[in-house]
Amino acid sequence: MKEENSTSNQTASSRRGFIKASATAAAGFMIVPRHVLGKGFLAPSDKLLVAGVGVGGKGQSDLASFYKSGKAEIAYLCDVDDRRAATTVANFPKAKYYKDWREMFEKESKNFDAVSVSTPDHTHAVVAMGAMQLGKHVYVQKPMTHDIYEARMLTEAAAKYKVVTQMGNQGSSGDGVRQLHEWYDAGIIGDVHTVQIWTNRPIWPQGIPWSTEKPPVPKELDWNLWLGTAPYKDYVDKLIPGSWRGWWDYGTGALGDLGCHLMEAPFRVLGLKYAVDMQASVSSVFTDFGKRGIFPDSCPPSSHATLTFPKTPKTKGPVTMHWMDGGIKPERPEELGANELFGDGNSGILFIGTKGKMMASEYAANPRLLPLSRMEEVKVKQKFARVPGSADGHYAQWVEGAIAGFGKAELSSPFELAGPLTEAILMANLAIRGADMPKPRANGKGFDYPGSNMKMLWDYKNMKVTNFDDVNQYVKRTYREGWSLGV
């Protein structure tokens, strides 16, 4: 295995040193006169100047949506892969392009107001924290972070640096979650004690070994920068653009991909925050008759995780939340007709209350009461204001909030809400990783999987599982040398 270039480490350290040293001064540099920004730039009071980090794929659509609001200018672009960035670079020819976000922050921090982060999960936190330490507003794709510790630190940093934040789970701005909220507050389904959530994800390979082939690194890609905080490994094909999601070093599996879109509604509707325990079961992969494959670096092909949340002001007791992925679904509710669609066919959310049930699709779209005939019978007065543009308005909401300033506008998924939601998703992943963790038997013959047969107890304050220490290494992973969260 090749070692990373020492020069890159030294450069990284010097850049982070600059950022840390200049954080205090830059933090107050938010609303500045137009002449200071230079010709061609508008003051933040007119338009938000956005720097994009990770500008291909989802980053491409994120930046296009900010620009579409009419209140944002895309001032800078940054991506480690010129191939992925090409379309966005063409769409915004006036935006200066960088490969290394640290260099962009060092050289251009006085010339932009906000940062959009659409990189793979394992680099969300370091980019977002670097931006907030410079006093920049941040929009971060879901999940907010790769690790629980990172989510806690970013949540605290948003309040400390007084910046406007938003996670990229657009459904939180949708009409659907607000309709569900109104039905629940009106007592239509009674007290919810159980929530079922499911998805057909992953749609990328999981439960597989790392490739042994060593193709050349594409000339357009800075592989060392792409790895970022993760351990060094030689480049492999088919990891980029999306299959990195199935590898624990970089992604967070199906939960990280869709959990923020599906779990947000019960969090908002029921007032959930931090779970107290979690458990999981995962599918096994057999490479030969009777021989179970052991692929600890890869997420399992399917899983079922269960979280327990304590009573909230909106529930009469604890709430049990079930997460199922890989095509596994809960039992169809008896109130649903034999040929009626369950969720949206691929994903769904089911609230089970003492007086009835309600259901929604991905993004909490298409909310329905069960049986569906209740939709004609039940009329509830609107209680919550709708976001203009519904889910699509999620982008403009952040832009306008950032222009207004910290604490001046309501956002759908600020870090104070997105942080606990992300922590819950990553707690479920702790249970999944624990259930898939082999322990050699004392006799040397085969393995046991003790984590698959226990309920893991969570100490929220200290961010640790108290009865299965093996998984605590994933609460706060060790970054590769030369990388730091800066806290």
Side-chain angles (χ1 to χ4, degrees):
M1 183 173 291
K2 298 177 182 177
E3 292 297 325
E4 60 178 316
N5 186 287
S6 60
T7 302
S8 295
N9 277 343
Q10 294 168 2
T11 302
S13 297
S14 64
R15 284 175 182 156
R16 278 194 311 281
F18 174 90
I19 290 169
K20 191 171 183 179
S22 62
T24 303
F29 207 106
M30 299 298 294
I31 303 299
V32 295
R34 189 174 306 183
H35 73 273
V36 174
L37 291 174
K39 185 178 181 181
F41 286 109
L42 294 175
S45 55
D46 296 318
K47 287 194 177 184
L48 190 73
L49 301 178
V50 179
V53 182
V55 302
K58 190 59 186 167
Q60 176 183 324
S61 61
D62 286 344
L63 293 173
S65 295
F66 298 139
Y67 184 75
K68 186 179 178 182
S69 73
K71 299 180 180 181
E73 291 291 344
I74 310 306
Y76 296 92
L77 303 173
C78 181
D79 204 295
V80 300
D81 190 340
D82 296 343
R83 301 167 303 174
R84 300 284 293 158
T87 298
T88 304
V89 169
N91 288 341
F92 300 103
K94 294 181 180 180
K96 190 172 181 179
Y97 179 69
Y98 285 87
K99 272 209 168 184
D100 190 332
W101 61 270
R102 298 165 301 180
E103 181 184 2
M104 181 176 72
F105 283 12
E106 181 178 332
K107 292 181 176 179
E108 310 290 356
S109 63
K110 293 182 180 181
N111 299 326
F112 61 84
D113 316 301
V115 177
S116 173
V117 184
S118 298
T119 61
D121 301 351
H122 68 296
T123 51
H124 283 184
V126 288
V127 182
M129 182 64 80
M132 288 192 289
Q133 288 174 336
L134 291 172
K136 307 304 179 184
H137 308 299
V138 291
Y139 183 102
V140 181
Q141 259 308 322
K142 48 77 191 169
M144 193 170 107
T145 64
H146 183 280
D147 302 345
I148 292 171
Y149 172 80
E150 293 173 331
R152 189 75 59 88
M153 293 303 101
L154 259 62
T155 301
E156 293 176 0
K160 176 182 178 180
Y161 296 109
K162 300 187 183 306
V163 293
V164 177
T165 57
Q166 184 98 298
M167 182 168 70
N169 54 331
Q170 306 94 298
S172 63
S173 289
D175 295 352
V177 65
R178 288 158 178 77
Q179 178 66 82
L180 292 166
H181 203 168
E182 288 161 353
W183 284 335
Y184 185 68
D185 283 4
I188 302 302
I189 65 168
D191 178 60
V192 167
H193 50 81
T194 304
V195 178
Q196 305 271 14
I197 300 173
W198 66 99
T199 178
N200 67 332
R201 302 293 173 100
I203 55 172
W204 50 84
Q206 291 191 177
I208 58 174
W210 186 258
S211 174
T212 58
E213 297 182 6
K214 295 183 180 181
V217 178
K219 66 180 186 302
E220 301 91 346
L221 172 67
D222 188 321
W223 174 240
N224 190 49
L225 274 178
W226 188 94
L227 286 172
T229 60
Y232 188 87
K233 288 184 179 179
D234 288 320
Y235 173 79
V236 295
D237 279 331
K238 300 183 179 179
L239 192 68
I240 301 171
S243 291
W244 53 264
R245 292 188 180 279
W247 298 95
W248 290 120
D249 278 345
Y250 322 114
T252 46
L255 261 162
D257 185 44
L258 278 190
C260 295
H261 290 314
L262 292 163
M263 287 172 61
E264 191 274 336
F267 256 70
R268 184 183 299 269
V269 171
L270 305 177
L272 304 179
K273 197 163 187 182
Y274 296 105
V276 295
D277 60 56
M278 59 277 199
Q279 55 189 298
S281 58
V282 302
S283 57
S284 303
V285 177
F286 283 81
T287 59
D288 204 346
F289 185 83
K291 183 180 180 181
R292 180 172 175 174
I294 299 176
F295 308 119
D297 295 334
S298 180
C299 309
S302 60
S303 61
H304 177 189
T306 305
L307 299 170
T308 304
F309 294 88
K311 178 184 180 301
T312 78
K314 302 189 70 174
T315 66
K316 294 182 178 179
V319 175
T320 301
M321 180 182 291
H322 295 270
W323 166 272
M324 304 174 196
D325 60 40
I328 300 172
K329 296 181 181 181
E331 182 181 0
R332 290 172 62 88
E334 59 184 24
E335 297 92 339
L336 191 66
N339 293 328
E340 291 174 340
L341 192 63
F342 192 22
D344 59 21
N346 292 323
S347 304
I349 313 163
L350 178 67
F351 293 79
I352 303 175
T354 53
K355 295 181 181 179
K357 298 181 178 74
M358 59 186 185
M359 177 177 68
S361 303
E362 189 179 316
Y363 289 19
N366 191 21
R368 287 150 283 172
L369 293 168
L370 299 181
L372 297 180
S373 58
R374 297 194 74 189
M375 295 290 290
E376 299 297 325
E377 304 164 1
V378 175
K379 303 296 178 185
V380 172
K381 186 177 179 180
Q382 180 175 314
K383 179 179 178 181
F384 301 105
R386 292 344 189 215
V387 175
S390 192
D392 290 340
H394 195 63
Y395 302 92
Q397 185 193 58
W398 174 70
V399 170
E400 292 168 4
I403 291 172
F406 180 77
K408 301 290 181 62
E410 181 178 351
L411 281 92
S412 298
S413 196
F415 286 2
E416 64 186 272
L417 300 178
L421 170 60
T422 299
E423 285 195 36
I425 288 164
L426 299 176
M427 283 175 63
N429 265 342
L430 280 188
I432 289 169
R433 296 191 77 166
D436 206 28
M437 186 180 292
K439 285 275 194 178
R441 291 173 182 156
N443 62 9
K445 298 180 179 179
F447 299 88
D448 290 319
Y449 291 82
S452 66
N453 295 304
M454 66 169 59
K455 178 184 288 186
M456 298 179 194
L457 306 178
W458 181 246
D459 178 348
Y460 155 74
K461 183 177 180 180
N462 295 303
M463 290 185 284
K464 64 182 294 187
V465 173
T466 59
N467 62 331
F468 191 57
D469 190 55
D470 298 64
V471 298
N472 286 321
Q473 61 185 302
Y474 306 125
V475 173
K476 179 187 177 183
R477 68 200 152 98
T478 300
Y479 287 172
R480 187 162 57 121
E481 184 180 355
W483 294 87
S484 169
L485 193 58
V487 294

